[in-house]
Amino acid sequence: MSSIYRIFFIHDEINRFGKVSTDKIVEKFEITGRQVQRDIREMKMMGAPVEYSAEAAGYIYKKPWNIFDYADKKTLLFYLFASKIAENLDLLPIVSKKLLSEIENIYLKDYSEVMKRISYEMSDTEPFNAEIITRIIESMQTKTALDIEYSNAYGVNSKRTVEPWHLMNYGGKWYVLAWCRESKEIRTFYVSRIVSILGKFAENEPFEKEIDEPLLKKCLSEGYGIFKHTGKTIDVVVRFYEPVVNLVENRKWHPKQKVVKKNIDGKKCVEFTIPVGDYTEITYHVLGFSPYAEAVSPPDFRKQWLERAGEVIKKFK
């Protein structure tokens, strides 16, 4: 867990009770006394007038201090702006909401009305288990493996041991890219399908596979969409016609995309060339713009798109 959470706890305890003991911090976060000392040093670097009092048998403030005094207003405004996104994604834990309220009440009273008029919405989000997210982050921090029970797309559960390398939010949903010991390759796991993390946190099970940064970078950046690919990607060409040309022509589907404006048979269109590792997501994306989008190439991609469109017609006609 990041030291900032412990620092917030220390700060809150001193403000509420006038002191906080080393034992209470150690018990709360299951850390060592030496780690507490490092956190106190970090607080002093932030300007906190914190010191140990033998009389109080704990840490105290020599004078009143607010944890946000070291931050400038731009930083606080950015935090508030980001918090609007976090609220929409159910990412803000209770302690952060309390701190957010403190920022608004003490430092940004002049912006209170404006902040009520800022929101962030996503069309498709899913709730997640905060404990599972926390355990994944702890696993990445300590580089220790996790035993999970995972449910696949067909609802079939399996148990496997994974080594989380990267946690990402894509389209309002959380995914973890992890080394799977069973398959001996990096896999993308849908966090909401992690039924449970089995047993106690595996402190004695270090990663057996060192994080391969070039592989991870390739996996995150090469192919379009959530179907991350560690092998060779394929360039697909998608063409959009009026009346959606102006809607899509400035969109960033992928960092390596190529966009060409064309005029075919007197009709304005725009062509996207996008690298993908799997046709699934891009096929459904093209279908979502029907009948104004066309899968052009390669041939097997176009065939899959036409088959999916045909299945819709056959099923619901």
Side-chain angles (χ1 to χ4, degrees):
M1 179 176 289
S2 170
S3 64
I4 194 64
Y5 291 101
R6 297 192 297 271
I7 289 172
F8 283 143
F9 174 78
I10 293 169
H11 172 72
D12 189 55
E13 288 289 303
I14 295 176
N15 277 342
R16 291 171 61 193
F17 305 111
K19 66 175 184 178
V20 62
S21 68
T22 298
D23 289 344
K24 190 168 187 177
I25 304 169
V26 167
E27 181 180 357
K28 172 72 175 178
F29 296 101
E30 298 182 352
I31 58 176
T32 65
R34 182 168 294 182
Q35 180 61 64
V36 174
Q37 292 174 5
R38 286 197 290 267
D39 291 340
I40 295 299
R41 285 198 297 271
E42 187 173 343
M43 290 181 71
K44 288 181 177 180
M45 291 174 63
M46 294 165 62
V50 61
E51 66 176 19
Y52 184 80
S53 168
E55 182 180 353
Y59 291 99
I60 63 170
Y61 284 151
K62 292 183 290 185
K63 61 181 180 179
W65 182 74
N66 193 286
I67 196 168
F68 301 111
D69 285 344
Y70 70 96
D72 61 27
K73 185 165 286 189
K74 287 184 179 179
T75 301
L76 299 175
L77 283 172
F78 175 78
Y79 177 80
L80 287 174
F81 186 78
S83 75
K84 298 298 179 179
I85 300 176
E87 285 176 347
N88 177 265
L89 297 177
D90 296 325
L91 301 182
L92 242 55
I94 298 300
V95 64
S96 295
K97 290 180 180 178
K98 179 180 177 181
L99 292 169
L100 177 59
S101 177
E102 186 174 346
I103 294 174
E104 292 175 335
N105 293 335
I106 297 176
Y107 291 94
L108 298 170
K109 288 182 179 179
D110 295 342
Y111 292 84
S112 59
E113 288 300 315
V114 175
M115 294 310 299
K116 293 177 183 177
R117 291 168 173 76
I118 298 175
S119 63
Y120 179 92
E121 295 186 11
M122 297 190 70
S123 60
D124 187 13
T125 62
E126 283 189 353
F128 62 88
N129 187 316
E131 175 61 23
I132 288 177
I133 288 281
T134 300
R135 295 285 291 277
I136 291 171
I137 293 173
E138 288 176 344
S139 175
M140 291 192 295
Q141 170 68 18
T142 59
K143 293 186 178 179
T144 51
L146 289 177
D147 293 320
I148 66 171
E149 182 178 1
Y150 188 74
S151 178
N152 66 15
Y154 301 98
V156 178
N157 289 10
S158 62
K159 296 178 181 179
R160 59 188 78 192
T161 300
V162 299
E163 300 173 9
W165 286 8
H166 190 89
L167 182 66
M168 68 179 296
N169 188 282
Y170 178 81
K173 301 177 181 65
W174 283 100
Y175 300 84
V176 59
L177 278 68
W179 179 261
C180 178
R181 289 187 179 180
E182 281 71 25
S183 63
K184 299 297 181 185
E185 63 181 2
I186 189 169
R187 292 284 184 88
T188 302
F189 296 94
Y190 195 2
V191 172
S192 68
R193 287 186 187 156
I194 298 178
V195 179
S196 63
I197 293 179
L198 307 172
K200 192 175 178 234
F201 185 62
E203 295 178 355
N204 298 320
E205 282 288 336
F207 283 4
E208 66 176 21
K209 172 73 173 178
E210 185 176 351
I211 296 178
D212 187 331
E213 294 295 348
L215 175 63
L216 181 59
K217 183 178 180 180
K218 178 180 177 64
C219 189
L220 289 169
S221 64
E222 288 296 313
Y224 165 82
I226 195 56
F227 292 95
K228 302 302 179 185
H229 194 67
T230 57
K232 184 179 179 181
T233 58
I234 301 171
D235 283 346
V236 302
V237 178
V238 178
R239 189 177 295 155
F240 295 92
Y241 300 91
E242 292 285 20
V244 302
V245 171
N246 291 333
L247 178 65
V248 303
E249 63 181 349
N250 293 319
R251 291 196 179 186
K252 193 75 171 180
W253 306 105
H254 190 274
K256 296 182 179 180
Q257 70 183 29
K258 296 177 183 177
V259 184
V260 179
K261 295 180 181 180
K262 290 188 174 183
N263 193 301
I264 298 178
D265 298 329
K267 295 180 181 180
K268 182 181 176 183
C269 66
V270 59
E271 257 185 18
F272 281 77
T273 301
I274 304 170
V276 303
D278 186 289
Y279 292 149
T280 305
E281 187 173 354
I282 190 67
T283 297
Y284 287 115
H285 205 98
V286 176
L287 288 171
F289 278 91
S290 297
Y292 309 112
E294 175 188 10
V296 179
S297 65
D300 58 339
F301 168 52
R302 181 177 176 85
K303 180 181 177 182
Q304 178 172 301
W305 165 68
L306 289 171
E307 287 176 348
R308 293 292 182 272
E311 288 170 5
V312 173
I313 295 172
K314 183 177 180 180
K315 186 175 181 65
F316 297 105
K317 185 176 180 181

